[in-house]
């Protein structure tokens, strides 16, 4: 089997070390497993510019097209190839401002330019196995594990492939995780869970049960809630409405199986999303004359007038040394 890891924290930092322990866990189940990880801090990933060329090409059936940046202009394509070759994927992140680091999100945004990767992995049968782990320097980490699980799902193809997920707070100093044997044991177990799930899928064609930290949503395992102005409560990851009950001062939220089938990540939600995208483009096509007239009369000149240009960067020799 082939297991591919993605890190995005400090080079040789806590999450890198935890990844190594998880990959050792994989090897303890399958000594012949091919394992390896990248740290996105070592990679060059150009930001998605939102040009939508890849999406338009995909809608037209051209899955060979990748990104207007070109496949050799950054390391995205290399990582895409690693993902394609992998049976299992482990993605990790430290909390940066309560979220996973921007570099991981930048990578995620480029997944739109991964050819037919999504198309071929987006089913219970064909999805890849994945797991994720995250840490925080303190406990200012609420969004991090939730967003990271969503990223693991994107790399798997569906939440059915996400077999493990765990988060640890209060690990801040460089390599401090080596003082926490329990964390490293859990990492080892995460790797074992991924390897066992890959073997199970190969033998049975089924995805292993989720063995990670439970949330309040049984579909995405998120522990977040959205309360709408009318008092309705939703899982904000899945956009699924729940029913609430307060017992002994504690809030209990229930998402019915029926409601969860309409998760934005389930086939129903994915189709609805695609329909809504198509509707948006159709609306723009119908209104193209209004858009062009309004643009030239009210915005074209004002955009040039109001936009502030960036000065050209002149890096000193010292700055070049410390950043390259
Ligand atoms: C830019 C930046 C923002 C951070 N924001 C948070 C945060 O919001 N919450 C938190 O608990 N830790 C935060 N941290 C601390 C890191 O999560 C912590 O140091 C972690 O151990 C880094 O993992 P690494 O060693 O794998 O890089 C932040 C660190 C940096 C560099």
């Amino acid at each position: 089997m082939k297991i591919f890891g993605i890190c995005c924290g400090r080079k040789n930092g806590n999450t890198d070390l935890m990844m190594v322990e998880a990959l050792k866990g994989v090897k303890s189940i399958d000594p012949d497993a091919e394992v390896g990880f990248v740290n996105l801090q070592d990679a060059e990933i150009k930001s998605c510019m939102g040009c939508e060329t890849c999406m338009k090409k995909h809608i037209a059936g051209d899955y060979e097209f990748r990104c207007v940046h070109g496949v050799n202009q950054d390391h995205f394509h290399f990582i895409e190839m690693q993902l394609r070759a992998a049976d299992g994927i482990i993605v990790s992140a430290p909390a940066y401002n309560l979220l996973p680091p921007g570099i991981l999100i930048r990578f995620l945004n480029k997944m739109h330019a991964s050819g037919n990767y999504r198309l071929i992995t987006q089913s219970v049968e064909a999805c890849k196995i994945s797991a994720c782990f995250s840490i925080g320097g303190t406990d200012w980490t609420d969004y991090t594990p939730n967003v990271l699980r969503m990223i693991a799902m994107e790399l798997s193809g569906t939440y059915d492939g996400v077999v493990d997920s765990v988060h640890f707070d209060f690990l801040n100093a460089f390599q401090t995780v080596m003082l926490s044997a329990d964390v490293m044991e859990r990492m080892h177990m995460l790797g074992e869970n991924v390897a066992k799930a890959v073997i199970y899928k190969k033998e049975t064609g089924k995805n292993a049960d989720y063995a990670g930290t439970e949330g309040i949503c049984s579909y995405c395992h998120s522990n977040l809630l959205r309360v709408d102005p009318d008092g309705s409560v939703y899982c904000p990851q899945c956009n699924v409405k729940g029913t609430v009950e307060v017992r002994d001062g504690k809030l209990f939220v229930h998402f019915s199986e029926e409601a969860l089938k309409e998760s934005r990540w389930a086939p129903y939600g994915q189709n609805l999303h695609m329909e809504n995208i198509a509707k948006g483009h159709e609306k723009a096509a119908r209104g193209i004359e209004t858009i062009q007239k309004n643009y030239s009369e009210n915005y074209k000149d004002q955009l040039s007038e109001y936009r502030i240009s960036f000065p050209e960067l002149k890096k000193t020799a010292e700055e070049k040394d410390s950043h390259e």
Side-chain angles (χ1 to χ4, degrees):
M1 74 175 73
K2 209 170 174 128
I3 308 297
F4 176 59
I6 298 180
C7 290
C8 56
R10 286 170 284 201
K11 195 166 182 182
N12 304 335
N14 292 314
T15 40
D16 273 13
L17 301 179
M18 291 162 79
M19 181 63 79
V20 169
E21 200 53 49
L23 296 177
K24 284 186 190 176
V26 170
K27 289 283 233 183
S28 71
I29 299 296
D30 177 3
D32 295 330
E34 272 182 65
V35 302
F37 77 97
V38 292
N39 186 321
L40 297 179
Q41 303 250 13
D42 291 333
E44 193 173 323
I45 309 283
K46 287 190 189 285
S47 286
C48 169
M49 302 177 297
C51 70
E52 294 191 335
T53 310
C54 62
M55 290 188 216
K56 285 180 205 148
K57 295 269 185 189
H58 293 171
I59 288 168
D62 177 2
Y63 286 100
E64 293 308 311
F65 181 83
R66 287 302 190 274
C67 180
V68 288
H69 290 138
V71 295
N72 296 315
Q73 298 303 306
D74 70 8
H75 293 116
F76 178 79
H77 190 62
F78 173 80
I79 299 173
E80 182 205 320
M81 290 301 138
Q82 300 288 326
L83 293 172
R84 282 178 184 269
D87 302 295
I89 297 155
I90 304 175
V91 59
S92 70
Y96 277 15
N97 304 76
L98 276 72
L99 289 158
I103 194 162
L104 185 63
I105 305 294
R106 195 190 311 168
F107 161 75
L108 176 70
N109 296 158
K110 294 277 280 201
M111 283 301 288
H112 287 286
S114 56
N116 66 353
Y117 184 82
R118 280 181 161 170
L119 196 72
I120 60 169
T121 55
Q122 221 173 46
S123 71
V124 179
E125 298 75 30
C127 68
K128 289 179 186 281
I129 298 300
S130 77
C132 59
F133 65 87
S134 50
I135 60 169
T138 65
D139 55 356
W140 284 32
T141 55
D142 299 67
Y143 303 119
T144 308
N146 292 299
V147 175
L148 193 61
R149 247 188 320 273
M150 182 188 76
I151 296 173
M153 175 276 296
E154 292 264 3
L155 303 182
S156 251
T158 88
Y159 272 110
D160 298 278
V162 183
V163 296
D164 202 356
S165 142
V166 66
H167 173 87
F168 299 96
D169 282 332
F170 301 111
L171 291 169
N172 66 359
F174 187 61
Q175 299 190 336
T176 193
V177 70
M178 282 190 283
L179 301 176
S180 305
D182 55 331
V183 174
M184 286 312 206
E185 263 171 46
R186 182 64 182 86
M187 284 302 101
H188 200 88
M189 195 204 287
L190 181 138
E192 289 175 7
N193 287 342
V194 169
K196 285 179 190 168
V198 168
I199 294 168
Y200 181 71
K201 185 145 193 176
K202 282 192 175 160
E203 286 175 354
T204 66
K206 291 183 186 155
N207 295 302
D209 288 341
Y210 175 71
T213 307
E214 289 296 347
I216 42 178
C217 175
S218 56
Y219 193 76
C220 73
H221 313 289
S222 154
N223 65 357
L224 300 175
L225 282 180
R226 186 182 89 224
V227 184
D228 279 4
D230 67 357
S232 314
V233 169
Y234 285 80
C235 165
Q237 296 253 118
C238 290
N239 197 35
V240 160
K241 194 172 177 179
T243 50
V244 295
E245 197 189 325
V246 179
R247 270 184 266 137
D248 298 331
K250 287 184 180 159
L251 183 72
F252 293 87
V253 187
H254 177 68
F255 300 99
S256 71
E257 286 301 314
E258 261 335 277
L260 289 173
K261 278 186 195 149
E262 297 192 356
S263 164
R264 55 160 60 104
W265 311 111
Y268 167 89
Q270 297 282 350
N271 291 338
L272 186 63
H273 184 56
M274 293 317 288
E275 278 170 28
N276 285 335
I277 290 173
K279 272 187 201 161
H281 284 285
E282 281 156 23
K283 182 180 173 185
R286 280 196 307 275
I288 189 69
E289 281 174 21
T290 313
I291 290 173
Q292 283 170 348
K293 187 166 179 289
N294 199 347
Y295 179 68
S296 55
E297 285 175 6
N298 299 310
Y299 299 103
K300 191 167 183 276
D301 293 343
Q302 288 83 347
L303 279 169
S304 317
E305 191 185 331
Y306 297 163
R307 176 170 283 128
I308 299 169
S309 302
F310 288 105
E312 197 184 321
L313 293 176
K314 291 187 189 105
K315 280 194 211 171
T316 63
E318 275 170 358
E319 281 173 328
K320 275 186 184 161
D321 281 351
S322 61
H323 290 100
E324 284 169 10

